[in-house]
Amino acid sequence: MTGPDPVSLWHQLADTCVLLDGFHALKHAVRFGAEVPVAVAVDRGAALALAEELAPDVRDTLDALLTQVPESAYASLVPRPHPTGVAALAVRPSRAAHLEKLAHAPRTAPVVVLDNPRNLGNAGAVIRLAAGFGATGVVTTGTLDPWHPTVVRGGAGLHFATAVEHLEVAELPPGPVFALDPEGDDIRGVKLPDDAVLAFGSERSGLSPELRARAGHLVALPMRPQVSSYNLATSVAMTLYHWSLGGS
């Protein structure tokens, strides 16, 4: 293969692109249309064999993208080496296009809102869930960057399968807001519409006053007495599963 040195190209693009950390993140990003200007592997043959086994639909694309580099060069490009020895950079999707998708009506699937989340890994797991359920997108409020490399790693590259953006509460997409709260109505008796905005509070402090004021419905997940809470990603999974059972 000929072309620009991948390590030099990486350093030119790293500040403006999204890190895809590991084979699975690259696989998903490519599958959902990401533009990938550079991708490297410690063992190109092993990476392509993995593609042949797990993702034959993108094997040829990865064959054209991946360049083998020494392990020391690979290790210098990533915060911590991934077991698959694969990494890539992708162009971040257009914010304007995402905002248009989030605001489009009528929606056929909910938007998930994480209100001032704190844990990067939790945020990534939620994005992975939202992509799996076909949610319209995931919005975060507060200080957490939903495109932080740790979030992208936790999301396994599925940021490219749904609209992921940061917004203020006042900027949330239109639609009826269903906020998860222990004092809300049991979700098992509530139908969640396709255009719902599903809001989940911070792992530490729950819903912010601004989000609570915006909510038209408070709903609660079933929980055994004396159990204080569920993990954030678990709560999102339960809620999206309930939505998925409700029909359209």
Side-chain angles (χ1 to χ4, degrees), residues 2-244:
T2 59
D5 170 56
V7 175
S8 298
L9 182 59
W10 187 289
H11 288 302
Q12 292 172 28
L13 298 174
D15 290 340
T16 57
C17 284
V18 177
L19 172 63
L20 300 175
D21 197 4
F23 171 82
H24 298 289
L26 175 59
K27 169 196 72 179
H28 281 137
V30 167
R31 184 174 282 161
F32 289 99
E35 179 184 347
V36 180
V38 58
V40 299
V42 172
D43 186 335
R44 187 173 180 277
L48 293 177
L50 197 59
E52 190 70 47
E53 177 185 359
L54 301 177
D57 57 311
V58 298
R59 193 266 180 204
D60 290 346
T61 302
L62 296 184
D63 187 18
L65 286 174
L66 283 168
T67 302
Q68 184 158 314
V69 296
E71 186 170 1
S72 59
Y74 160 75
S76 73
L77 301 177
V78 295
R80 54 190 174 112
H82 191 276
T84 57
V86 172
L89 294 177
V91 176
R92 181 167 170 171
S94 160
R95 176 174 170 84
H98 275 180
L99 294 180
E100 182 179 355
K101 180 179 180 181
L102 290 167
H104 179 76
R107 282 197 303 268
T108 58
V111 172
V112 174
V113 176
L114 304 183
D115 186 29
N116 199 26
R118 302 292 183 171
N119 186 283
L120 296 167
N122 273 345
V126 167
I127 291 165
R128 190 171 185 174
L129 280 165
F133 275 100
T136 296
V138 177
V139 170
T140 63
T141 70
T143 59
L144 184 144
D145 174 11
W147 285 86
H148 186 284
T150 302
V151 182
V152 178
R153 182 176 178 131
L158 284 163
H159 282 60
F160 293 88
T162 190
V164 177
E165 289 296 336
H166 175 275
L167 295 171
E168 301 299 325
V169 171
E171 300 171 324
L172 292 180
V177 178
F178 290 77
L180 276 289
D181 185 272
E183 302 304 316
D185 297 326
D186 190 320
I187 197 170
R188 290 171 291 185
V190 177
K191 178 178 173 62
L192 300 176
D194 292 344
D195 64 345
V197 176
L198 305 176
F200 300 82
S202 165
E203 299 95 332
R204 295 181 185 175
S205 54
L207 295 167
S208 67
E210 295 82 7
L211 200 295
R212 184 180 289 273
R214 175 77 182 268
H217 313 267
L218 295 179
V219 294
L221 295 168
M223 186 180 301
R224 180 181 178 181
Q226 299 183 320
V227 175
S228 58
S229 65
Y230 293 120
N231 172 272
L232 176 60
T234 300
S235 297
V236 174
M238 294 171 72
T239 304
L240 285 174
Y241 182 70
H242 177 73
W243 162 74
S244 74

